[in-house]
């Protein structure tokens, strides 16, 4: 670690200690001399090319650093996309050259081991040049380019080093997040380069490989809530407790996960709140409230929050935040949700609006609505309203094949981790009395306990009647004891499902009274797909139901709801 920060603009113009490695990549350490040689080699190649704009994507962080600084010294503008999907490449390629890991199956030669060209000298960079463009999901669904200069990053690095530099000391930077997003770029590449800390090039998928990579050296972890909330009793807590710090960004860390890391790993996670546009805004550690970084100032006008930040470009003025805040008397604040529909899935930023637009642009869907189901691993759910060709496709191909086709159509635009894993086909979007999509109802249908309730596959809504496509889960808690070796869904459970869904869709405000004409015609076993038809007669307080499939009726009857007496 240097005694003082090395400006990123002079990163390759100051003599570094030869024994201090810059990075650990592909099983070996790379020194400052090797880093400089590789940057010189690439800068020379790139200067000879006539192109001005380059889209840079690499899987590993060290080759990214080499190419990034080579492009900067070659006077190019670098676009840093969040993924290398086919759709992203097609969108960027008309305007810029693709550099790095863009083509699956191809092995890109990074030329990292080259002899030093002593005759070539790299002049210091202008830290105020807008040479970096980072992409973030806009609220309209279209990726939004954000121009950045090195000075903005340097100002933020100075704040981070002042706050946590002494705690980190000579720690090595390890990460489970990508450097293609601003948080990973800053915390695992640029901050270590400026502070003289070594960073590991590989992003570690799980904590076991991460702590094993430490090799008895002090290290800190650049993580995200998606990774941290999956830690459990089998996690390598001894190694985690030895880390000098754990950083998390990309969304609030659940309190239960934070407490588990404190109790099992003896670590209080440092959470950082910010955005691609603003950089870091605030931090917290084992608290609900956020503390602003030095130089930050918040103001509210007509319920909209504005940020004054030294990291913003000169003359940019205050920045409007998409988050809703509650400011406390001591200057700290609480987050209270977003006003747009940008979410984070496994630290990947996703515009739900864009996902809906891509789905609706296909030939089988009239309208789509996307939402996030919060689990130990958050998943995206898609509610799609099929058109006539879509219903024909569903009837001829089947649900599973149609889902595969829809996911395939999305793959050119989205990384696999953010693709919908839950699907619900509807004939019309359920609406509230204010004529807005009933998100609470949809979440109730999609976020179900498979030990107690069936999976809802489809939904048809008409006035006073509903048809639900259901799948009976194998893991239902009622099967093991009813009957041993021959599981059958009990009739009382069928009636409980009728009441559950009846009260979800209809204004049943009277207590249950009794049953009428109940019939059980066929047994229901695990894995079977059924249609549940519900018909509500408000005037008589009767809920008619019928479980059926292509094999005929399984059960039917009426549930009566009346005031007693």
């Amino acid at each position: 670690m240097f005694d003082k920060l090395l400006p990123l603009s002079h990163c390759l113009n100051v003599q570094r200690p030869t024994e201090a490695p810059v990075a650990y990549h592909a099983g070996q350490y790379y020194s400052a001399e090797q880093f400089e040689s590789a940057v010189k080699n690439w800068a020379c190649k790139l200067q000879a090319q006539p192109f001005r704009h380059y889209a840079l994507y690499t899987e590993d962080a060290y080759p990214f650093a080499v190419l990034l600084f080579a492009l900067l010294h070659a006077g190019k503008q670098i676009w840093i996309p969040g993924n290398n999907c086919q759709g992203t490449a097609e969108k960027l390629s008309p305007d810029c050259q693709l550099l790095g890991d863009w083509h699956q199956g191809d092995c890109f030669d990074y030329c990292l081991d080259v002899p030093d060209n002593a005759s070539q000298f790299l002049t210091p960079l202008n830290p105020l040049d807008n040479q970096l463009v980072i992409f973030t999901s806009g609220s309209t669904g279209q990726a939004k380019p954000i121009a950045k200069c090195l000075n903005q990053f340097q100002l933020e690095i100075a704040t981070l080093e002042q706050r946590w530099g002494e705690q980190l000391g000579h720690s090595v930077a390890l990460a489970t997040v990508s450097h293609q997003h601003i948080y990973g770029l800053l915390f695992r590449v640029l901050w270590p380069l400026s502070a003289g800390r070594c960073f590991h090039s590989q992003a570690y998928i799980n904590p076991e490989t991460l702590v094993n990579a430490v090799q008895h050296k002090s290290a800190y972890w650049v993580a995200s809530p998606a990774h941290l909330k999956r830690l459990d009793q089998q996690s390598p807590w001894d190694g985690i407790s030895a880390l000098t710090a754990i950083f998390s960004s990309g969304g609030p860390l659940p309190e239960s996960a934070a407490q588990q890391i404190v109790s099992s790993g003896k670590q209080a996670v440092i959470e950082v709140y910010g955005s691609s546009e603003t950089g870091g805004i605030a931090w917290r550690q084992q608290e609900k409230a956020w503390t602003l970084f030095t130089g930050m100032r918040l103001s509210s006008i007509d319920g909209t929050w504005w940020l004054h930040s030294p990291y913003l470009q000169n003359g940019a003025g205050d920045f409007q935040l998409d988050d809703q805040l509650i400011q406390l008397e001591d200057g700290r604040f609480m987050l209270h949700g977003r006003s747009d529909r940008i979410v984070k899935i496994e630290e990947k930023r996703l515009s739900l609006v864009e996902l809906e637009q891509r789905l609706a642009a296909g030939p089988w869907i009239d309208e789509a609505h996307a939402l996030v189901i919060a689990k130990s691993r958050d998943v995206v759910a898609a509610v799609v309203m099929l058109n006539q060709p879509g219903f024909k496709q569903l009837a001829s191909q089947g649900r599973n094949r149609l889902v595969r086709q829809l996911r395939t159509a999305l793959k050119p635009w989205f990384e696999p981790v953010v693709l919908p894993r839950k699907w619900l086909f509807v004939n019309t979007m359920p609406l509230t009395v204010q004529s807005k999509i009933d998100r609470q109802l949809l979440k109730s249908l999609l976020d179900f306990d498979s030990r107690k309730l069936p999976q809802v596959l489809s939904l048809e809504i008409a006035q006073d009647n509903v048809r639900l496509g259901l799948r009976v889960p194998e893991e239902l808690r009622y099967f093991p004891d009813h009957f041993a070796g021959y599981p059958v869904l009990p009739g009382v459970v069928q009636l409980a499902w009728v009441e559950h869904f009846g009260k979800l869709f209809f204004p049943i405000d009277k207590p249950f009274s009794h049953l009428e004409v109940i019939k059980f015609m066929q047994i229901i076993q695990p894995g079977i797909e059924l249609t549940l038809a519900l018909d509500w007669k408000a005037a008589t307080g009767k809920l008619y139901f019928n479980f059926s499939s292509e094999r005929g009726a399984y059960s039917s009857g009426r549930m009566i709801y009346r005031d007693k007496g």
Side-chain angles (χ1 to χ4, degrees):
M1 187 183 76
F2 303 132
D3 292 333
K4 60 181 181 179
L5 290 174
L6 181 65
L8 294 172
S9 56
H10 291 65
C11 185
L12 291 141
N13 304 99
V14 176
Q15 187 68 37
R16 298 170 183 253
T18 55
E19 70 277 5
V22 169
Y24 180 77
H25 171 73
Q28 73 174 84
Y29 286 98
Y30 282 83
S31 67
E33 183 179 359
Q34 290 172 300
F35 179 51
E36 182 179 356
S37 297
V39 171
K40 284 181 180 179
N41 177 59
W42 272 105
C44 184
K45 290 181 181 179
L46 293 165
Q47 281 175 336
Q49 296 182 5
F51 313 110
R52 165 70 175 145
H53 305 288
Y54 287 78
L56 175 60
Y57 183 93
T58 69
E59 294 292 341
D60 293 326
Y62 178 64
F64 176 91
V66 169
L67 293 175
L68 174 69
F69 279 89
L71 287 164
L72 290 170
H73 281 281
K76 310 296 184 180
Q77 186 176 69
I78 308 108
W79 295 16
I80 304 176
N83 62 62
N84 62 345
C85 295
Q86 179 186 342
T88 302
E90 291 173 355
K91 187 182 293 185
L92 293 175
S93 55
D95 300 309
C96 57
Q97 297 297 302
L98 305 180
L99 184 63
D101 300 322
W102 282 99
H103 306 290
Q104 290 186 351
D106 292 351
C107 185
F108 187 81
D109 186 0
Y110 290 111
C111 302
L112 300 178
D113 298 294
V114 293
D116 182 42
N117 184 356
S119 63
Q120 185 180 3
F121 181 74
L122 297 172
T123 58
L125 298 165
N126 182 348
L128 299 179
D129 280 349
N130 288 335
Q131 288 184 263
L132 290 156
V133 177
I134 294 173
F135 288 86
T136 186
S137 298
S139 58
T140 62
Q142 299 301 313
K144 181 170 61 174
I146 302 162
K148 296 276 186 179
C149 65
L150 287 181
N151 188 58
Q152 290 173 277
F153 290 107
Q154 194 67 55
L155 289 171
E156 187 163 1
I157 287 169
T159 300
L160 297 174
E161 186 68 16
Q162 183 181 21
R163 184 68 189 80
W164 292 296
E166 186 176 344
Q167 177 180 338
L168 298 183
H170 294 274
S171 298
V172 174
L174 308 177
T176 46
V177 300
S178 171
H179 54 272
Q180 296 288 147
H181 299 273
I182 189 168
Y183 166 54
L185 171 63
L186 183 65
F187 275 70
R188 66 176 293 206
V189 178
L190 299 183
W191 184 9
L193 280 173
S194 180
R197 297 187 182 93
C198 177
F199 65 90
H200 279 219
S201 183
Q202 175 187 351
Y204 295 102
I205 297 175
N206 58 62
E208 287 77 17
T209 55
L210 182 136
V211 298
N212 288 337
V214 174
Q215 299 175 343
H216 307 293
K217 297 178 182 293
S218 64
Y220 68 95
W221 183 5
V222 183
S224 74
H227 299 104
L228 296 177
K229 69 183 184 181
R230 290 205 295 270
L231 296 174
D232 55 27
Q233 294 304 314
Q234 282 69 51
S235 297
W237 291 112
D238 288 343
I240 292 172
S241 64
L243 297 169
T244 55
I246 300 175
F247 293 97
S248 177
S249 189
L253 180 66
E255 187 175 352
S256 59
Q259 289 300 326
Q260 181 185 40
I261 297 169
V262 169
S263 60
S264 301
K266 314 305 178 190
Q267 289 274 4
V269 176
I270 302 167
E271 295 183 72
V272 177
Y273 162 64
S275 69
S276 299
E277 297 91 342
T278 64
I281 297 172
W283 64 277
R284 70 179 183 181
Q285 193 170 17
Q286 256 190 304
E287 295 178 303
K288 292 185 178 180
W290 297 85
T291 300
L292 289 168
F293 282 118
T294 303
M296 302 290 165
R297 190 171 67 248
L298 292 171
S299 59
S300 177
I301 302 174
D302 297 329
T304 299
W305 286 93
W306 296 81
L307 173 73
H308 175 82
S309 168
Y311 308 156
L312 297 173
Q313 287 282 51
N314 292 333
D318 290 350
F319 182 83
Q320 181 179 343
L321 298 177
D322 290 320
D323 292 297
Q324 298 297 309
L325 313 179
I326 299 174
Q327 195 160 32
L328 306 179
E329 291 182 359
D330 60 4
R332 297 182 303 160
F333 63 89
M334 309 276 283
L335 287 176
H336 197 58
R338 289 183 65 95
S339 55
D340 63 7
R341 298 183 62 224
I342 306 298
V343 297
K344 290 287 183 73
I345 305 295
E346 302 291 306
E347 95 263 350
K348 305 294 185 181
R349 195 172 182 181
L350 169 68
S351 167
L352 295 178
V353 174
E354 182 186 6
L355 183 65
E356 292 163 356
Q357 291 172 348
R358 296 292 180 192
L359 283 169
W364 302 317
I365 296 172
D366 276 342
E367 185 180 353
H369 180 74
L371 63 159
V372 175
I373 305 300
K375 298 284 189 183
S376 59
R377 183 178 296 192
D378 293 348
V379 298
V380 177
V383 182
V384 295
M385 191 170 81
L386 298 174
N387 52 26
Q388 282 303 114
F391 278 113
K392 289 181 180 178
Q393 189 77 0
L394 178 63
S396 63
Q397 303 287 347
R399 185 179 190 277
N400 291 341
R401 188 169 180 183
L402 178 57
V403 166
R404 287 196 297 270
Q405 290 170 328
L406 294 174
R407 283 175 58 90
T408 299
L410 292 173
K411 283 181 179 179
W413 306 102
F414 303 97
E415 294 180 83
V417 72
V418 304
L419 293 179
R421 295 190 181 185
K422 291 178 176 285
W423 295 81
L424 177 62
F425 296 111
V426 299
N427 68 327
T428 185
M429 286 290 173
L431 304 176
T432 65
V433 292
Q434 291 82 24
S435 297
K436 295 183 178 180
I437 292 176
D438 194 337
R439 294 188 178 92
Q440 190 58 47
L441 171 63
L442 293 175
K443 188 173 181 180
S444 297
L445 296 175
L446 291 159
D447 188 10
F448 69 103
D449 185 347
S450 61
R451 296 168 303 170
K452 298 179 180 179
L453 292 167
Q455 178 186 3
V456 180
L457 307 175
S458 62
L459 170 64
E460 294 181 29
I461 301 175
Q463 188 171 3
D464 295 330
N465 64 78
V466 169
R467 289 172 62 87
L468 294 151
L470 306 176
R471 182 184 177 277
V472 181
E474 288 86 348
E475 62 268 27
L476 277 178
R477 62 192 300 179
Y478 315 108
F479 283 138
D481 300 324
H482 196 95
F483 296 95
Y486 191 75
V488 173
L489 185 68
V492 67
V493 176
Q494 298 176 45
L495 296 174
W497 290 359
V498 170
E499 181 164 61
H500 170 78
F501 289 114
K503 290 186 174 181
L504 271 181
F505 289 98
F506 307 122
I508 301 175
D509 56 1
K510 290 182 171 57
F512 171 72
S513 175
H514 60 280
L515 302 170
E516 287 185 349
V517 294
I518 300 298
K519 298 179 181 179
F520 296 100
M521 290 80 84
Q522 297 188 67
I523 62 172
I524 297 175
Q525 292 192 284
I528 194 171
E529 293 188 7
L530 300 166
T531 297
L532 170 59
L534 297 174
D535 193 357
W536 171 242
K537 304 297 183 183
T540 58
K542 295 183 178 182
L543 178 62
Y544 292 70
F545 73 90
N546 182 286
F547 283 99
S548 65
S549 74
E550 294 177 350
R551 296 176 57 186
Y554 287 81
S555 61
S556 63
R558 299 191 289 269
M559 301 185 74
I560 315 302
Y561 295 87
R562 290 175 185 165
D563 289 323
K564 293 182 179 180

